[in-house]
C-alpha cells in the first residue's frame, strides 16, 4: 500500500525533471521579459538614461487616446480578417480541389509548387519585389492594367492612403496562402479515403463532400491554423515596414510598427512597452480561447 505513492512521486519527479529545462527557458526568455515589459509600461524613461519616472497607467491612458493606436489596431483587425479568409477558407478550398484528383497529376503538382514557392522567399525580398511590381507607371501591374484597357484603375498602390494597407495585406496573402494550403493537404490526406469513396458512390456532389467530410475531418487543423493566422496578423511588422513603413501618413500603421517607432525613433520606452503589453494580452486572450475550443472538441 505504501509503495504506490512513492512510485507515483518518483514518476512525477522524473516528469518534472524532463520538462524543467523547457520551463526554465520559458521563464527566462518568455514570461520573465513579458512581466518586465509590463513593469516598464508603468514608467516614463529613455533608453539613454538610467532614471525612470513612475507614471502609473498614464502610458495606457495616452495610448487609448492616441488616434494612431486606433488606426493601427483597426489595420491589424483588417489584416486578421482578410488573412483568415485567404489563408484558412481559400487555402482549404485550394487544398480540397488539388486533393480531389480533378487535375492531371502533372498539373496538380505544378499548381502545388507554384503556390508554395512564395513562402520560401524572405519577407524582405518579397516586399522589394512587389514594390517594383507596384511602382506607379513603371511597374508591371500598372502596365498590365493599361494594356487591358483598365488604365483608370492605375494608381500609386503603396502611396495612396486608401489602398496602402490592403495592398500590403494582399501581398502577404500571396506569400503565405500556398504554405497553409500545404498544411491542409496533409490534414485532408489523413482522412480515410474510404469515406470519400463511400460518399462518391452515394452520388454526393463535390460541395457536399467538402462541407460534410473534408471540413469536419480537418477541423483540428482549421482551428490551429486560424489561431496561428490571427496571432501572426497581430504581430505583423516586417512586411509592413519593408513596403510602407506605416505610411503614407500613418495609413498602414500596425501595432508592430507603432511600437517600433515609439521605442527606436521617439525613445519613449515606457509608452512602447504599453503597446507591447496590449499586444501580449490580446494574444493571451486568443490563446485562452484556442485552449477552450480545443477542450470543447
Amino acid at each position: 500500500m505504501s509503495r504506490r505513492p512513492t512510485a507515483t512521486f518518483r514518476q512525477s519527479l522524473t516528469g518534472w525533471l524532463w520538462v524543467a529545462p523547457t520551463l526554465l527557458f520559458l521563464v527566462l526568455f518568455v514570461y520573465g521579459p513579458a512581466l518586465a515589459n509590463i513593469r516598464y509600461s508603468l514608467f516614463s524613461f529613455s533608453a539613454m538614461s538610467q532614471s525612470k519616472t513612475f507614471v502609473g497607467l498614464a502610458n495606457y491612458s495616452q495610448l487609448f487616446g492616441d488616434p494612431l493606436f486606433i488606426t493601427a489596431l483597426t489595420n491589424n483587425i483588417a489584416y486578421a480578417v482578410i488573412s483568415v479568409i485567404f489563408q484558412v477558407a481559400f487555402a482549404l478550398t485550394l487544398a480540397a480541389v488539388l486533393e480531389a484528383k480533378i487535375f492531371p497529376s502533372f498539373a496538380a503538382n505544378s499548381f502545388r509548387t507554384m503556390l508554395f514557392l512564395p513562402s520560401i522567399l524572405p519577407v524582405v525580398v518579397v516586399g522589394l519585389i512587389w514594390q517594383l511590381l507596384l511602382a506607379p507607371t513603371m511597374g508591371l501591374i500598372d502596365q498590365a492594367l493599361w494594356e487591358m484597357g483598365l488604365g483608370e484603375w492605375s494608381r500609386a498602390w503603396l502611396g495612396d492612403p486608401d489602398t496602402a494597407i490592403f495592398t500590403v495585406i494582399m501581398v502577404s496573402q500571396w506569400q503565405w496562402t500556398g504554405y497553409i494550403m500545404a498544411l491542409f493537404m496533409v490534414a485532408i490526406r489523413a482522412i480515410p479515403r474510404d469515406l470519400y469513396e463511400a460518399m462518391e458512390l452515394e452520388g454526393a456532389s463535390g460541395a457536399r463532400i467538402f462541407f460534410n467530410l473534408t471540413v469536419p475531418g480537418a477541423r483540428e487543423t482549421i482551428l490551429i491554423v486560424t489561431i496561428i493566422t490571427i496571432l501572426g496578423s497581430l504581430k505583423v511588422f516586417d512586411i509592413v515596414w519593408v513596403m510602407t513603413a506605416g505610411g503614407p501618413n500613418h495609413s498602414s500603421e500596425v501595432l508592430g510598427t507603432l511600437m517600433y517607432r515609439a521605442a527606436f525613433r521617439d525613445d519613449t520606452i515606457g509608452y512602447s512597452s504599453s503597446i507591447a503589453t496590449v499586444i501580449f494580452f490580446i494574444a493571451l486572450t486568443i490563446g485562452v480561447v484556442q485552449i477552450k475550443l480545443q477542450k470543447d472538441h
Side-chain angles (χ1 to χ4, degrees):
M1 293 294 290
S2 62
R3 290 180 178 177
R4 182 171 295 175
T6 304
T8 304
F9 173 75
R10 286 178 180 172
Q11 290 175 350
S12 176
L13 180 62
T14 304
W16 279 105
L17 288 176
W18 276 107
V19 300
T22 303
L23 291 177
L24 182 62
F25 183 87
L26 286 173
V27 169
L28 287 177
F29 297 105
V30 179
Y31 299 115
L35 292 175
N37 179 76
I38 294 173
R39 177 176 172 273
Y40 290 151
S41 69
L42 304 176
F43 291 84
S44 175
F45 63 101
S46 164
M48 307 303 291
S49 172
Q50 292 185 347
S51 63
K52 299 182 180 67
T53 304
F54 181 76
V55 296
L57 299 177
N59 285 325
Y60 293 97
S61 177
Q62 179 186 349
L63 178 64
F64 293 128
D66 187 350
L68 287 183
F69 171 71
I70 304 301
T71 300
L73 185 61
T74 304
N75 286 338
N76 276 104
I77 293 172
Y79 208 114
V81 171
I82 296 174
S83 295
V84 168
I85 292 172
F86 278 87
Q87 295 182 31
V88 180
F90 187 55
L92 177 61
T93 306
L94 277 177
V97 169
L98 291 177
E99 287 298 305
K101 313 299 182 188
I102 296 174
F103 300 103
S105 178
F106 176 77
N109 290 332
S110 300
F111 288 144
R112 290 190 195 105
T113 304
M114 285 190 293
L115 291 167
F116 184 78
L117 272 179
S119 67
I120 65 175
L121 296 175
V123 172
V124 174
V125 173
V126 170
L128 294 176
I129 289 174
W130 277 98
Q131 275 187 331
L132 293 174
L133 293 175
L134 294 165
T137 65
M138 297 293 292
L140 185 62
I141 302 297
D142 263 19
Q143 291 188 19
L145 289 173
W146 281 105
E147 289 296 328
M148 291 187 294
L150 300 172
E152 68 274 12
W153 289 15
S154 173
R155 64 181 63 199
W157 298 97
L158 296 173
D160 187 336
D162 293 332
T163 59
I165 184 61
F166 295 105
T167 304
V168 175
I169 292 173
M170 293 313 297
V171 169
S172 182
Q173 309 316 308
W174 172 83
Q175 183 177 19
W176 294 113
T177 298
Y179 176 79
I180 302 298
M181 179 202 70
L183 298 181
F184 281 132
M185 290 174 71
V186 174
I188 291 173
R189 289 180 183 181
I191 301 172
R193 196 67 201 168
D194 296 347
L195 299 178
Y196 282 100
E197 292 174 355
M199 292 197 73
E200 287 168 359
L201 287 174
E202 291 177 357
S205 65
R208 185 182 166 197
I209 294 175
F210 177 76
F211 286 108
N212 291 351
L213 181 55
T214 303
V215 172
R219 184 179 56 211
E220 290 289 332
T221 305
I222 293 171
L223 175 62
I224 293 171
V225 166
T226 301
I227 297 297
I228 291 175
T229 301
I230 294 173
L231 290 177
S233 302
L234 186 66
K235 297 186 299 180
V236 64
F237 169 78
D238 42 15
I239 189 67
V240 178
W241 192 256
V242 169
M243 295 191 71
T244 65
N249 195 26
H250 299 289
S251 62
S252 62
E253 206 81 66
V254 292
L255 292 176
T257 58
L258 192 66
M259 179 179 63
Y260 178 86
R261 205 183 301 278
F264 298 105
R265 190 197 66 178
D266 302 337
D267 195 23
T268 51
I269 306 301
Y271 185 67
S272 175
S273 297
S274 67
I275 301 172
T277 302
V278 169
I279 296 174
F280 173 76
F281 278 106
I282 295 175
L284 184 65
T285 304
I286 294 171
V288 170
V289 171
Q290 178 196 7
I291 294 172
K292 179 72 170 57
L293 290 175
Q294 282 184 325
K295 283 185 176 178
D296 290 345
H297 289 289

